[in-house]
Amino acid sequence: MSAPAEIPHRQNYPMQLLAVSGRSLAQLVRAPSHSRRAEAARKMARHWLYLAAAGATLIIVLMLLLDKTEIELMPARGTPGLWPIRILTDFGKDAYVLWALAAALVVVALVAASKHGTSRALWLGLGTRLQFLFLSVGVSVLIGEVLKFTIGRGRPFVGGTANPYNFIPFQGTEAHFSLPSGHALTAFSLAFAVGALWPRLRVFMFTYAIVIALTRLVLLAHHPSDVVGGALVGIVGAMAVRYWFAARRLGFAIRGDGTILALPGPAFGRFKRVAHGSSAP
């Protein structure tokens, strides 16, 4: 939701809302225009290669050496004392995260349509960043669902034994949707996306992601290699979305060496300063 060309103020509110929403969506599919996007693509490809190699190696090592031992050490599924962990793990549930971000996008669109000038530009700048967060998680989740269906790995103790090699590809059931972990995928894609926009929040967000991943192990929902796979897919998916936005000059800039940096975004203080002078169109 970057600031589109000024919409005539004479339009009524529903028309303002429709125009703002339409132009904010159109910016996502416009042709890329950044002159350094090729450099950024090459740098991202190298990072993907490094991540894929390290991630695949770690997943295989965990599957061979740790998965079975770890799930045998965890408390039995359904243990009453684990209720705080069950509450905590829901903070990484993809549906909850996506609905929260979607609701925030709707609120921003409703408010932006009632503003004009600098005030509208600030709200639309916030909307662009929310679009980035939503798509970072959403695209990663879609990739994860395809992988879950294709790989068909059984969750811990599905089949009655601690068998980390229980694979039935294309099974399509929840019991065989273990790799990659959806919660870990959601948490790490969100952590990467938030950290890309606001670097000072990286430590906090990746701590959150690690905690969510650990809850999946304690609850016997996943093997250790599953959460590593989820983290890998989440980060790779968010990186791809960041490149998409940067190539269209949405919220990000690209340096000469291909490094993608977040552009300065709207701050609370700026919203507060313009609030007194803004009025409905």
Side-chain angles (χ1 to χ4, degrees):
M1 289 186 184
S2 65
E6 187 63 30
I7 299 167
H9 297 160
R10 292 186 298 274
Q11 292 182 356
N12 58 27
Y13 178 78
M15 292 302 296
Q16 291 275 344
L17 178 60
L18 182 62
V20 165
S21 301
R23 294 188 186 186
S24 296
L25 292 174
Q27 71 177 1
L28 297 176
V29 294
R30 71 192 185 199
S33 59
H34 205 296
S35 60
R36 300 188 184 118
R37 61 185 182 275
E39 290 86 348
R42 286 192 290 270
K43 188 160 191 172
M44 182 179 66
R46 289 196 300 270
H47 289 169
W48 276 0
L49 180 61
Y50 300 150
L51 283 171
T57 300
L58 183 55
I59 288 171
I60 293 171
V61 169
L62 290 174
M63 199 175 294
L64 293 173
L65 302 179
L66 184 63
D67 279 0
K68 183 175 184 294
T69 301
E70 186 276 333
I71 62 174
E72 288 178 334
L73 293 174
M74 292 298 103
R77 187 179 282 115
T79 300
L82 295 180
W83 64 266
I85 306 298
R86 296 190 190 97
I87 294 174
L88 183 59
T89 200
D90 279 344
F91 285 92
K93 190 173 180 63
D94 54 12
Y96 295 166
V97 172
L98 288 172
W99 275 112
L101 291 171
L105 274 168
V106 170
V107 170
V108 168
L110 291 172
V111 174
S114 70
K115 307 293 183 182
H116 61 83
T118 303
S119 182
R120 173 175 284 178
L122 288 175
W123 281 99
L124 292 176
L126 175 61
T128 293
R129 285 151 182 80
L130 287 173
Q131 285 178 324
F132 168 66
L133 296 180
F134 180 87
L135 290 173
S136 292
V137 176
V139 169
S140 299
V141 168
L142 287 177
I143 296 171
E145 290 299 307
V146 173
L147 290 174
K148 284 172 179 281
F149 176 77
T150 303
I151 296 170
R153 189 186 195 188
R155 295 184 185 274
F157 296 106
V158 166
T161 60
N163 177 16
Y165 311 113
N166 180 11
F167 291 89
I168 307 180
F170 309 106
Q171 174 75 0
T173 62
E174 182 63 26
H176 284 82
F177 266 28
S178 194
L179 179 65
S181 163
H183 284 66
L185 182 156
T186 299
F188 275 89
S189 62
L190 182 62
F192 181 91
V194 171
L197 289 173
W198 300 288
R200 291 182 180 180
L201 295 178
R202 281 176 182 162
V203 173
F204 171 79
M205 289 304 302
F206 277 100
T207 299
Y208 146 80
I210 292 170
V211 169
I212 294 299
L214 291 176
T215 65
R216 307 311 289 162
L217 301 181
V218 174
L219 294 175
L220 286 177
H222 291 283
H223 304 86
S225 56
D226 297 333
V227 299
V228 170
L232 176 64
V233 173
I235 291 173
V236 167
M239 287 175 64
V241 174
R242 183 183 63 170
Y243 170 78
W244 183 276
F245 273 64
R248 287 156 181 80
R249 304 176 186 271
L250 298 174
F252 294 94
I254 303 175
R255 295 196 316 197
D257 64 352
T259 300
I260 298 175
L261 298 174
L263 293 171
F268 176 76
R270 295 176 66 193
F271 278 106
K272 189 174 181 181
R273 284 195 300 273
V274 300
H276 301 290
S278 62
S279 60

